[in-house]
């Protein structure tokens, strides 16, 4: 059953793969919380630099830890630290647009 009344945000798992010094790939994940956007807002966001898109829609996360396995709080400084990691930023971008792609295609 489809509900027309949706929450203002939604949560989705982000998979990040970062090359390690050993030559292997370190795979990890965390859960991002994104703002829901209507089609008009999505059209506006498509014209923006992708880093700005994530700044606009990423409103929280869970499962993101520092080198001592302490939870990293979501705030502007930690968001910018995550966006400075290319693999994390691209994973966020790809997952966000994939999460809205089906809705865009159906309309």
């Amino acid at each position: 059953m489809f509900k027309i009344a949706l929450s203002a945000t939604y949560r989705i798992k982000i998979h990040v793969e970062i090359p390690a010094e050993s030559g292997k790939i370190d795979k990890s994940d965390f859960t991002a919380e994104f703002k829901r956007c209507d089609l008009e807002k999505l059209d506006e966001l498509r014209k923006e630099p992708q880093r700005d898109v994530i700044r606009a829609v990423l409103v929280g996360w869970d499962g993101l830890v520092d080198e001592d396995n302490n939870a990293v709080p979501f705030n502007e400084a930690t968001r910018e630290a995550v966006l400075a990691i290319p693999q994390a930023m691209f994973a966020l971008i790809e997952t966000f647009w994939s999460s809205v792609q089906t809705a865009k295609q159906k309309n």
Side-chain angles (χ1 to χ4, degrees), residues 2-19:
F2 177 74
K3 292 183 181 181
I4 195 165
L6 301 172
S7 62
T9 64
Y10 63 97
R11 303 166 74 72
I12 192 163
K13 189 152 307 247
I14 306 296
H15 300 279
V16 182
E17 297 184 2
I18 297 180

Side-chain angles (χ1 to χ4, degrees), residues 4-5 11 13 16 22-23 28 34-36 44 49 51 61 65 67 70-71 75-76 79 85-86 98 107:
I4 195 165
R11 303 166 74 72
K13 189 152 307 247
V16 182
S22 65
S28 59
F34 291 127
K35 286 183 193 176
R36 285 192 196 278
E44 290 173 17
R51 186 181 299 241
W61 58 49
V65 296
E67 59 277 355
N70 297 313
N75 58 48
E76 186 177 332
R79 181 194 66 209
I85 303 167
S98 292
N107 289 317

Side-chain angles (χ1 to χ4, degrees), residues 31-104:
T31 301
E33 184 175 3
F34 291 127
K35 286 183 193 176
R36 285 192 196 278
C37 300
D38 61 20
L39 290 175
E40 183 176 320
K41 180 66 175 176
L42 290 174
D43 287 342
E44 290 173 17
L45 289 173
R46 288 183 196 283
K47 299 172 189 171
E48 297 294 323
Q50 294 305 291
R51 186 181 299 241
D52 290 344
V53 170
I54 295 304
R55 286 181 180 126
V57 298
L58 181 64
V59 296
W61 58 49
D62 284 320
L64 200 129
V65 296
D66 64 17
E67 59 277 355
D68 298 321
N69 286 327
N70 297 313
V72 174
F74 179 84
N75 58 48
E76 186 177 332
T78 56
R79 181 194 66 209
E80 292 305 310
V82 169
L83 295 182
I85 303 167
Q87 295 87 350
M89 188 182 76
F90 291 125
L92 284 159
I93 291 165
E94 182 180 333
T95 304
F96 171 73
W97 286 116
S98 292
S99 74
V100 297
Q101 183 176 6
T102 302
K104 181 73 173 168

